[in-house]
Amino acid sequence: MIKEYNTLNEDFIGEIKSLIKDKYFKHFYLINSVGQALSARIQFFKAYTLVDPANESWIIGFWTNGNYSVYGKNWTKNK
């Protein structure tokens, strides 16, 4: 299921926390970018999450200041 976010809100923050769990160091750049966007140090444009609970797979896309970051776990190509 894909969820798109045009604003940073508690839903997006909560979903990120539930996806990365306690792997904060592994996702340091994502957490840092979200924190900078929340404090208005960088401009936030858009974000999305794509989650496949059956395979415990997810993708997070995050677009700020002309940089587009993609993070994921256990994702494989589906036909």
Side-chain angles (χ1 to χ4, degrees):
M1 180 164 93
I2 297 175
K3 292 183 185 175
E4 294 186 19
Y5 299 90
N6 294 318
T7 59
L8 289 179
N9 56 33
E10 289 300 318
D11 291 338
F12 180 66
I13 303 301
E15 186 160 12
I16 287 176
K17 287 179 179 179
S18 74
L19 294 174
I20 66 171
K21 299 185 181 3
D22 62 348
K23 306 272 192 267
Y24 295 112
F25 186 72
K26 186 175 183 179
H27 300 289
F28 171 79
Y29 293 106
L30 171 64
I31 293 166
N32 188 47
S33 293
V34 170
Q36 287 185 9
L38 284 170
S39 65
R41 285 182 273 162
I42 61 174
Q43 188 175 8
F44 169 80
F45 295 104
K46 195 170 198 173
Y48 73 88
T49 58
L50 174 60
V51 179
D52 181 0
N55 295 320
E56 296 182 11
S57 304
W58 52 264
I59 296 174
I60 299 170
F62 194 71
W63 179 23
T64 59
N65 274 11
N67 296 314
Y68 196 84
S69 302
V70 178
Y71 301 86
K73 177 185 171 198
N74 293 339
W75 205 262
T76 58
K77 182 178 178 182
N78 290 328
K79 294 184 180 186

